[in-house]
Amino acid sequence: MERPLIDPVLEYNLRTVSDAMAKACTDSGRSPTDVRLLAVTKTVSADRINEAIALGVKQIGENRVQEYLGKKDSLHLDGVGRHLIGHLQTNKVRQIVGQVDMIQSIDSERLASAVSRVSVERGIVTPILVEVNIGGEEAKSGVSPDRLEELLEQIHDLPGIRVRGLMTVPPILTKEAEKRAIFSKMYQLFVDNRAKKLDNIDMVELSMGMSGDFVEAILEGSTIVRVGSAIFGERRYN
Ligand SMILES: *Cc1c(COP(=O)(O)O)cnc(C)c1O
């Protein structure tokens, strides 16, 4: 693969994020290999994503099915994990199943069943995370914490999907103690549901933490942080 020209700002940002992740791991007695960085590439051009991959990014996350499908053929995705992290509409399931390595935004039985059906048809198993609306916010997707257990019970036996853990986008909070409290609540849900040992569920991934709060998320047990603007700069929407 041809090495693209590298923007020193991108290189600096990636190093800064990786260093902060490593420090948060050390500070909380975790191994740096326990936490993976997923670079959130929504609105980012394929060239720039390829630069990030050349700099060592191993996981990417996109929000929109259409945007991802439009870019993917221009990406150097060898050895790179691809995640769908945005809200998924049932009518887009056919387009995305098989095109990503994990769907992180499953929040209803209906959606899980659709992914199950298409995966079975295609002879594959799609790893998924269940998205939890930990802050109980009206406008956000995700299952409410008190309905999580019920949803896991409804979907754990579906063929063609494999639950690998939980994902959350918490409310935007400014105080460190508040951020930690909400991540801690999420970690507790993760641990409680892991202890139930439902068949076909590997409760191993906890996807939480974004540019403004990934350090606090790691301190509270995150295994995947999803970082966009701290790597690529502020997003510009057209
Ligand atoms: C955009 C987005 C992110 C990354 O947000 P930043 O604040 O730019 O790091 C993470 N997760 C989801 C679900 C997103 O939509």
Side-chain angles (χ1 to χ4, degrees), residues 138-238:
E138 281 287 328
K140 263 193 191 147
S141 38
V143 62
S144 74
D146 52 341
R147 289 216 45 242
L148 172 63
E149 185 177 354
E150 184 188 344
L151 178 59
L152 290 172
E153 277 166 8
Q154 287 167 338
I155 69 175
H156 76 106
D157 273 339
L158 290 175
I161 62 169
R162 184 93 189 177
V163 179
R164 300 275 304 156
L166 305 178
M167 181 271 234
T168 195
V169 182
I172 296 170
L173 299 166
T174 47
K175 296 208 182 76
E176 189 188 334
E178 290 174 347
K179 293 182 194 176
R180 289 195 60 167
I182 202 129
F183 287 134
S184 163
K185 189 173 162 196
M186 190 65 207
Y187 183 73
Q188 202 54 51
L189 265 185
F190 172 73
V191 171
D192 290 349
N193 282 285
R194 185 172 63 192
K196 288 175 192 137
K197 295 195 162 60
L198 282 175
D199 287 348
N200 303 316
I201 292 191
D202 317 308
M203 235 350 129
V204 291
E205 301 289 4
L206 181 54
S207 173
M208 61 183 192
M210 319 199 321
S211 292
D213 56 17
F214 69 88
V215 167
E216 290 83 358
I218 292 171
L219 295 176
E220 297 299 340
S222 170
T223 68
I224 301 175
V225 293
R226 308 178 310 269
V227 180
S229 47
I231 295 174
F232 296 107
E234 288 305 317
R235 279 181 288 277
R236 264 173 293 168
Y237 291 93
N238 298 317

Side-chain angles (χ1 to χ4, degrees), residues 93-113:
V93 166
R94 282 199 174 275
Q95 296 172 53
I96 198 67
V97 164
Q99 302 292 334
V100 287
D101 301 290
M102 180 180 274
I103 299 177
Q104 297 204 1
S105 45
I106 300 295
D107 62 357
S108 69
E109 184 185 15
R110 195 170 113 91
L111 188 55
S113 300

